[in-house]
């Protein structure tokens, strides 16, 4: 089988009329890549978690809107803008919780506005006013590429900052997949693990399997095993026993949206892990690129939590249903960890501590 490192999680194909993604629903059994050409294909790939993880969704949306606008190279300014707005709204409706999706589309929109002369400068670019649609496309392409390239650098810096909190030989527990497959490279929660691996830290990593969609078992355990990291899989309900046994020195998780007060939405079950970690006095760290911090949401109550279909719980992984037909199912994709349970938020700019409202406001004041 091909190796994970043979492909990027998401990338532009050479002729730039398609995105290529690793189909994460097929892992770990098959490493299959998919080419996405239409808005519906990109929307479906995000909704069906063929590509998933907050940063990877953001890069997919940015590259996606670029390729979807390419057929409009000859359109006039009004038609180009109308098509852009329609496409952005459509892609943005694919999943509600990870803020990176709307964050990346907003960055692309600001570039377009700059090209139209509606803004003084477009982000990261010095843009003359009144461009042709073809020229606008070039700026959109550059911005999508910048969002992708920054992701690699941001994750590496989260890795460096996270590594300062860990000791060689530590046992690290993680939940869901905030790894390479959720980003372009390194991951967020796995970045300190990968850097530690390169530097001989010999971490022992425990992966929660992460019901109901098993991102921990299918993706994190797969990634870490491929990278030669010492990795042990356990069911979600085993984390208390594991922590009580003294084998875990730190918890590292990713996140989909951090509110202005530090409350952090991440894969369902994360707040259980945080609660248990607090009980056993194990530091619990949330790894968050600043693109995942949403200062417009004051606290976790304002974060929209995606609800997913009952079949993910009752039948999706089984040959025959494992629950009575028609039973009511509670299936939120994410939960919010209260900021009081978070020991530190590891960003590309350093580690934030309580009081998070002040730390986050200070950080955004400096950006
Ligand atoms: O539903 P998913 O698989 O997209 O959920 C992903 C997570 O919860 C990740 O932990 C989060 O997006 C951070 S990825 C760096």
């Amino acid at each position: 089988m091909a190796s994970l490192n043979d492909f990027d999680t998401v990338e532009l194909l050479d002729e730039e009329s398609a995105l290529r993604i690793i189909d994460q629903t097929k892992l770990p059994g098959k490493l299959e890549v998919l080419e996405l050409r239409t808005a519906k294909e990109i929307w479906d790939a995000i909704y069906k978690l063929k590509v998933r993880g907050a940063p990877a969704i953001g890069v997919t949306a940015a590259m996606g809107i670029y390729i979807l606008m390419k057929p409009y190279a000859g359109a006039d300014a009004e038609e180009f803008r109308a098509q852009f707005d329609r496409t952005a709204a459509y892609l943005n409706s694919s999943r509600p919780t990870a803020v990176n999706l709307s964050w990346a589309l907003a960055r692309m929109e600001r570039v377009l506005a700059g090209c139209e002369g509606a803004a003084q400068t477009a982000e990261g670019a010095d843009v003359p006013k009144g461009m042709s649609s073809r020229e606008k496309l070039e700026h959109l392409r550059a911005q999508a590429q910048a969002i992708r390239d920054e992701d690699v650098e941001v994750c590496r810096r989260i890795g460096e900052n996270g590594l300062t909190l860990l000791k060689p030989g530590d046992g690290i527990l993680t939940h869901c997949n905030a790894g390479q497959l959720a980003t372009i490279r390194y991951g967020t929660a796995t970045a300190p693990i990968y850097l530690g691996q390169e530097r001989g830290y010999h971490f022992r990593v425990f992966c929660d399997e992460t019901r109901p969609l098993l991102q921990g078992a299918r993706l994190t355990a797969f990634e870490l095993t491929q990278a030669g990291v010492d990795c042990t899989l356990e069911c979600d309900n085993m984390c208390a026993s594991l922590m009580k046994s003294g084998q875990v020195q730190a918890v590292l998780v990713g996140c989909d949206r951090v509110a202005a007060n530090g409350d952090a939405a991440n894969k369902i079950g994360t707040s259980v892990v945080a609660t248990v970690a607090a009980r056993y006095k194990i530091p619990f760290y949330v790894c968050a690129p600043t693109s995942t911090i949403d200062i417009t949401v004051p606290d976790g109550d304002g974060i929209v939590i995606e609800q997913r279909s009952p079949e993910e719980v009752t039948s999706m992984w089984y040959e025959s249903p494992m629950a009575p037909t028609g039973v009511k199912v509670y299936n939120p994709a994410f939960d919010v960890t209260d900021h009081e349970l978070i020991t530190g938020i590891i960003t590309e700019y350093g580690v934030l501590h309580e009081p998070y409202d002040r730390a986050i406001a200070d950080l955004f004041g400096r950006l």
Side-chain angles (χ1 to χ4, degrees), residues 49 52-55 57 95 98 175-179 182-183 187-189 213 215 253-256 266-267 306 333-334:
L49 275 57
R52 31 86 28 225
I57 294 173
R95 293 192 78 188
H175 190 76
C176 192
N177 173 268
T183 62
T188 58
L213 292 179
Q215 290 92 332
V253 295
C255 58
D256 287 80
N266 190 48
K267 179 53 53 192
E306 178 182 12
F334 303 96

Side-chain angles (χ1 to χ4, degrees), residues 24 46 49 51-57 95 98 100 151 155 174-183 187-190 210 213 215 218-219 253-257 265-268 270 287-289 292 306 308 333-334:
Q24 301 191 30
I46 297 174
L49 275 57
V51 56
R52 31 86 28 225
I57 294 173
R95 293 192 78 188
N100 302 63
D151 180 69
C155 289
T174 189
H175 190 76
C176 192
N177 173 268
Q180 177 176 343
L181 286 159
T183 62
T188 58
T190 55
T210 318
L213 292 179
Q215 290 92 332
R218 295 187 303 103
L219 308 178
V253 295
C255 58
D256 287 80
R257 193 179 299 238
N266 190 48
K267 179 53 53 192
I268 191 72
T270 302
C287 299
T292 307
E306 178 182 12
R308 294 188 62 93
F334 303 96

Side-chain angles (χ1 to χ4, degrees), residues 185-205:
R185 206 170 296 155
Y186 299 113
T188 58
T190 55
I193 297 168
Y194 284 127
L195 294 188
Q197 174 81 355
E198 282 168 22
R199 297 174 197 176
Y201 274 58
H202 302 294
F203 293 133
R204 293 164 295 107
V205 181

Side-chain angles (χ1 to χ4, degrees), residues 10 15 28 42 78 98 127 142 156 172 208 236 248 288 329 340-341 345 358 364-365:
V10 47
E15 84 274 23
I42 297 171
E78 210 171 307
V127 189
R156 200 192 54 75
I172 298 168
D208 278 358
D236 301 338
V248 178
V329 172
E340 295 89 343
L341 295 171
I345 300 179
R358 195 148 358 117
F364 275 72

Side-chain angles (χ1 to χ4, degrees), residues 55 147-164 166 178-180 183-196 198-199 287-290 346-351:
I147 290 172
R148 181 240 173 247
D149 294 348
E150 282 168 27
D151 180 69
V152 177
E153 178 55 17
V154 161
C155 289
R156 200 192 54 75
R157 283 161 57 187
I158 287 175
E160 293 288 357
N161 294 333
L163 202 55
T164 64
L166 303 168
Q180 177 176 343
T183 62
I184 299 298
R185 206 170 296 155
Y186 299 113
T188 58
T190 55
I193 297 168
Y194 284 127
L195 294 188
E198 282 168 22
R199 297 174 197 176
C287 299
T290 46
I346 306 172
T347 77
E348 69 272 33
Y349 295 104
V351 184

